[in-house]
Amino acid sequence: SQMIFLMRCCRVELIDWIAKQILADEAAGKDRMYVVVFLPRKTEQCMERLNRKSIRANVKVVECAIHFFPFDRDILSMEA
């Protein structure tokens, strides 16, 4: 099975939550592939924190360059 995490790169503290989930799955003997998708890009801070948690070997890291542009308080656009 596979677990995909979508993460905005500005929320570095979420890496701890992701690491906790992966380590709990490993302790339970679950065989999964993990993918962390960084929106819109990965940052050095996020990658350093992944390395400190020693889980990067179990995780595929992907960047997805989705940028949202606010036009108003309740309108978002993905157009460039």
Side-chain angles (χ1 to χ4, degrees), residues 3-57:
M3 186 176 285
I4 300 172
F5 299 97
L6 297 175
M7 189 182 133
R8 289 190 51 97
C9 61
C10 59
R11 302 278 315 267
V12 179
E13 66 277 2
L14 291 178
I15 294 291
D16 297 331
W17 183 84
I18 291 170
K20 183 178 176 182
Q21 179 67 45
I22 293 171
L23 294 172
D25 284 355
E26 288 176 349
K30 295 182 181 177
D31 184 29
R32 287 189 175 156
M33 179 179 171
Y34 300 93
V35 180
V36 179
V37 181
F38 287 100
L39 302 170
R41 64 186 176 1
K42 65 183 175 186
T43 62
E44 283 299 314
Q45 289 176 321
C46 290
M47 297 309 294
E48 284 178 25
R49 193 167 267 193
L50 272 176
N51 287 333
R52 274 190 263 137
K53 298 294 180 180
S54 300
I55 60 164
R56 188 166 181 214

Side-chain angles (χ1 to χ4, degrees), residues 57-70:
N58 301 326
V59 176
K60 180 179 178 184
V61 175
V62 179
E63 292 178 314
C64 187
I66 297 175
H67 299 275
F68 293 98
F69 302 96

